[in-house]
Amino acid sequence: MDPRSSAPPSPFAGLDVTVLRDLIEIVPMPMMLLDDGRRVLRANRAMCDLLGYSEQELRALPRAAALLHPDEGGDGIRASGALEDGASRPFRQRVIRKDGEVILVEGSVTSIVTPDGGFVVVEHRDVSERVASRAALEVSEARFRSVVETARSGYVMLDADGTMSFANSRFAKMFGYDPEELAGASSTILLPPDEVEVVTARRLARLRGETLATEYRARRLRKDGTEITVDIAASVLGLPGGPDRILAEMRDVTAEVEAQRALATSEARYRQLVDSARNAIITTDTSGRCVIWNQALRELTGYRDEELARMGADDLAADRMRPRVAQRPGGSPSGAPDEPPRSYETAIVTRDGSSIPVIMSVTSLHEDGEPSGSLIELVDLRDQLALRDQLIEARKSEALSTLVAGVAHDFNNLLTAIGGSVEMAANTAGDSRWLSNARQATERAADLVRQLRQFSRRERAAREPVDLARVASTAVDLALQGLDARIRLDLEVPAGLPPVRGDHGQLQQLLMNLLINSRDALDERLEQPLDDAYVPFVAVRMAAESAGSLDGEVRRVVVHVTDNGTGMPPEVRARIFDPFFTTKEVGKGTGLGLATAYSIARDHGGTLEVRSESGSGTEFMLSLPVADDLTPPTGALPSTSMPRGMRVVVVDRDAIVRDTARAILSADGYEALATERASGALELLHVWSAGADVVVLEDTGPASPARWETLERLRTEAPEAPVILASVYATETQALDQGASVLLRKPYTAQSLLAAVTRAAAPPLD
């Protein structure tokens, strides 16, 4: 209400002036009494405090109007003369305190007529602070409206009953309304029906001061009835002089929620796809930590989900491969978005500590052009490696025809030499050269049989020092049997070439496969029109290599197999070592030869590379590490003089072998007995009261179910008698592991038999 409008009759009307003086003194509000000349007759303590004057100073003023600001009009004190007796008029005026401060006061003036004359009662109330607060509030609200109108979020002000007293334009647009439609409307028009009761209760509880979440997500309705999802931040505003209201900030997150829902659906489908994959799959973040994995990985590694969640991709790598894996994108993805997956062979370690060979394919993942992690696929190679071993055996069958042809040819020659030499020895007394020829032919036949056994052996042999030059020489001799007469085959071997560590038979197969490939390429070239100057050739060159050695020590032996056949185009060269890949017609090749050669080279710690151009021939480069153990073979040890008269038992199923061995030992002064049965050896040991000094025991071979039984019984029942294992099959490592003292290669000579007996009977070195 306007403070200057008419007021009801004053309670001071009709009072005696003396009573007025006393009454003004005791009332708590600022008040003073003026005479009819508008001079101050009395001012109470509250009025003095308000104006900063003492009562005497106020009385000394010529007129009370001297307190007014010069700009004030005729209202208030100045207009009091126009009032009738007992009439009262409210006013709002600026007055000046003694200290010069201008204050705004509200009050009333009341005219009183008594027998003593006319008087005016003036009542003051300081409203400066209240008016200033209201003005500040109006400025603040103006600023608030200006700010929220430019804000990116929607803002709404709610009264206690839920009426929207203010909504910015973005809020109105969010809900499809004009701002004028929302002003004064109930906020329930924005609520889904099932939310009205809940939201109303929450609003009232918030106004009561109860602790509620200030930020939350909710459903709301647009004007067209569509439902949206909004994020809300609500707070209670306590306004001076008015009831509390609620200010709510809202942001439409419908698109974001739908995108998250679509992403969750996509991730669920992705996880389902990954989990159904046959191969083990892992996705990592940029630090290499496992984020997603599938059931195949759990089954492959044996790790549980909670363990995988704490692991990185490199934690799955076997220790020897860990540095290599750490350099891959699983640890720090850096590949370009369009870079193809990178694949390599490695090994992973399972929960029980076992190692599994795998092919690891790594693809860099990106989000918004930035690396976000890696996708890693692991292919279990155990079945493939088992198949590879089967392929190697199958490839042997392909090469066996070449080998058998060479063996048959050589054996015919050897038998001819042996038979002819023996006949000449029988008919020519005193001429020992025929017996020497027979012995040499026998040695060549034994060597040929040994090579055939090594070539066809299925079990993985122990690695032993191998004379690669001798292996190459034998392979070249065998390859010559199947070469076209027009093809020249050269072998170049430097002196002093160190041995390599490996399996004699597998290395010979490797070189045979390379030579067969060269032979086929040359045969194909010879079917084409030829230049008169063209001379087909295969060259095998061997060399020692010290690359990587600081002291110049030989570390590897390198074999170059070169031909000037048809050569290979790039697309063929890229797949030349793939199993079953062949350019030959159906029925003329299996595509296993070079794949087998590559596999053997890798198993021996070596490398096999190829250089070739179409029409320019082919060169294979085989590199193998040298053997670090150069201990000479057992059979090569020289004989040492030993005391004669020692007892030796020979166990062999072949009567000729038994008789020959017994004769050799007897002729050298040994007491020798022979038996064809394993049990016979034990009987002979018991017959001799002092036992036997040495037992020569035949190895019955891998096909025998009781292959090692006799050796075990001898070790148990006659532990003092050293056993020489005479074998075509066993390696020295196998023989020693089974308890034999010495390995004697069959077929053996008199010299090798006597050397083996001497070595077996020799006392151990301290």
Side-chain angles (χ1 to χ4, degrees), residues 10 54 73 121 125 156 159 317 357 403 433 522 550 603 670 679 731:
S10 171
S54 66
V121 178
R125 292 186 301 279
V156 63
D159 293 338
L403 181 62
R433 63 190 176 96
L522 289 168
L550 298 178
D603 283 351
Y670 292 99
S679 59
T731 65

Side-chain angles (χ1 to χ4, degrees), residues 362-534:
V362 182
T363 304
S364 295
L365 301 178
H366 293 76
E367 291 182 5
D368 299 327
E370 295 296 325
S372 61
S374 297
L375 172 65
I376 302 174
E377 181 180 14
L378 303 176
V379 179
D380 188 349
L381 286 181
R382 287 176 294 183
D383 291 342
Q384 292 188 29
L385 293 178
L387 178 60
R388 184 200 65 187
D389 293 339
Q390 296 175 14
L391 294 180
I392 291 175
E393 296 303 322
R395 185 64 183 89
K396 289 180 180 179
S397 298
E398 182 181 346
L400 195 58
S401 59
T402 302
L403 181 62
V404 168
V407 170
H409 177 83
D410 283 356
F411 255 110
N412 284 332
N413 291 339
L414 294 172
L415 292 175
T416 300
I418 293 171
S421 296
V422 171
E423 286 185 39
M424 292 299 296
N427 297 328
T428 309
D431 192 345
S432 62
R433 63 190 176 96
W434 304 112
L435 292 178
S436 177
N437 289 345
R439 182 173 62 254
Q440 292 177 16
T442 303
E443 291 174 353
R444 288 180 58 196
D447 188 54
L448 200 58
V449 170
R450 181 167 58 254
Q451 294 170 22
L452 185 60
R453 286 297 310 165
Q454 289 173 333
F455 182 83
S456 62
R457 182 169 56 218
R458 286 181 176 272
E459 65 270 15
R460 183 182 179 89
R463 298 291 188 249
E464 298 176 334
V466 175
D467 184 352
L468 195 59
R470 184 176 181 184
V471 172
S473 178
T474 301
V476 167
D477 289 342
L478 292 172
L480 280 170
Q481 308 301 323
L483 280 183
D484 187 293
R486 293 171 288 178
I487 300 175
R488 189 180 80 240
L489 178 55
D490 298 328
L491 174 63
E492 180 183 330
V493 181
L497 199 65
V500 298
R501 177 163 294 280
D503 175 71
H504 184 287
Q506 289 188 354
L507 292 176
Q508 181 165 311
Q509 182 183 0
L510 189 162
L511 293 176
M512 282 291 297
N513 289 353
L514 297 181
L515 290 171
I516 290 172
N517 185 80
S518 293
R519 179 202 67 188
D520 293 345
L522 289 168
D523 287 345
E524 184 178 347
R525 180 69 179 272
L526 289 172
E527 294 176 357
Q528 302 172 1
L530 301 175
D531 190 298
D532 292 339
Y534 176 70

Side-chain angles (χ1 to χ4, degrees), residues 211-223:
T211 302
L212 298 176
T214 57
E215 297 183 2
Y216 54 95
R217 179 166 291 180
R219 295 178 297 117
R220 292 294 182 262
L221 282 182
R222 287 173 49 86
K223 183 178 180 180

Side-chain angles (χ1 to χ4, degrees), residues 648-669:
V648 181
V649 174
V650 179
V651 182
D652 202 296
R653 293 171 296 177
D654 191 294
I656 296 177
V657 174
R658 289 198 307 272
D659 291 344
T660 302
R662 184 170 55 186
I664 292 171
L665 293 168
S666 297
D668 208 53

